[in-house]
Amino acid sequence: MYVIMAYDVNVERVVKVLHTGRRYLTWVQNSVLEGELTPALFERLKADIAKIIDPNQDAVRFYVIKRTACFEKEFLGHSKNEPGQIL
Amino acid sequence: MYVIMAYDVNVERVVKVLHTGRRYLTWVQNSVLEGELTPALFERLKADIAKIIDPNQDAVRFYVIKRTACFEKEFLGHSKNEPGQIL
């Protein structure tokens, strides 16, 4: 399944959330990571993120797309990174 | 179709991109809007955003999901807004 993770977290926790997210997904632009995950890895990602954030202040959204044929990506401007590119 | 818009733009253009995006989609958290759009409205959204951004500095991603049955949303923490909620 394809997972898009978008986070809106307090500045004190941004680096930790990003580092944790990048263990599972590819950073593509400010506050957004994406990539293929197994259900098991997705559960571990959520558990790891849940340990870091303050649920009263921070918001993390996951869009879980069952099949990549179900969606398309379009860009305007300068695409900062893509899954598969090595930063 | 369901459209998720994530923007990573220069601070000078953030307000304009957000205001333009909110004419078509719902702001859900920092740098992310989403909602149902017809293909025609999606084309107009992209044209309006393209007029505002600097393609060399700014990045705007659109995830276009053909059928809402294709995906699920999950949240950690505090969901800041949802399509249908009036801010």
Side-chain angles (χ1 to χ4, degrees):
Chain A
M1 58 196 194
Y2 202 82
V3 175
I4 300 156
M5 171 178 158
Y7 56 91
D8 180 352
V9 303
N10 185 294
V11 68
E12 292 157 21
R13 291 179 287 278
V14 165
V15 172
K16 248 184 157 184
V17 167
L18 174 58
H19 281 192
T20 300
R22 287 183 80 170
R23 293 206 318 258
Y24 297 86
L25 299 169
T26 300
W27 175 91
V28 291
Q29 71 182 43
N30 178 33
S31 305
V32 181
L33 302 100
E34 64 180 69
E36 284 286 340
L37 279 186
T38 64
L41 280 175
F42 181 48
E43 291 309 313
R44 273 173 48 191
L45 166 61
K46 287 188 290 183
D48 285 352
I49 296 290
K51 286 180 210 148
I52 300 169
I53 63 169
D54 174 342
N56 299 312
Q57 286 187 29
D58 302 333
V60 183
R61 300 173 83 80
F62 298 97
Y63 302 96
V64 182
I65 300 167
K66 293 164 193 160
R67 292 184 313 286
T68 44
C70 270
F71 86 112
E72 288 163 10
K73 283 188 263 189
E74 294 194 29
F75 312 97
L76 285 176
H78 172 67
S79 171
K80 302 204 173 184
N81 190 30
E82 283 312 308
Q85 268 178 290
I86 309 296
L87 259 194
Chain B
M1 58 196 193
Y2 203 82
V3 176
I4 299 156
M5 172 178 158
Y7 57 90
D8 181 350
V9 303
N10 185 294
V11 68
E12 292 159 21
R13 289 180 287 279
V14 165
V15 171
K16 250 187 157 181
V17 168
L18 174 57
H19 281 193
T20 300
R22 286 183 82 170
R23 292 207 318 257
Y24 297 86
L25 299 169
T26 300
W27 175 91
V28 291
Q29 71 182 45
N30 178 32
S31 306
V32 180
L33 302 99
E34 64 180 69
E36 283 285 341
L37 279 184
T38 64
L41 279 174
F42 181 47
E43 291 309 313
R44 273 174 46 193
L45 168 60
K46 287 188 292 184
D48 286 353
I49 295 290
K51 286 181 210 150
I52 299 170
I53 63 168
D54 174 342
N56 299 311
Q57 285 186 31
D58 301 334
V60 182
R61 298 172 83 80
F62 299 96
Y63 302 96
V64 183
I65 301 166
K66 294 165 192 158
R67 292 184 316 284
T68 43
C70 272
F71 85 112
E72 288 162 9
K73 284 188 264 189
E74 294 195 30
F75 310 98
L76 286 177
H78 171 68
S79 171
K80 302 203 171 185
N81 191 30
E82 283 312 310
Q85 269 179 286
I86 309 298
L87 261 193

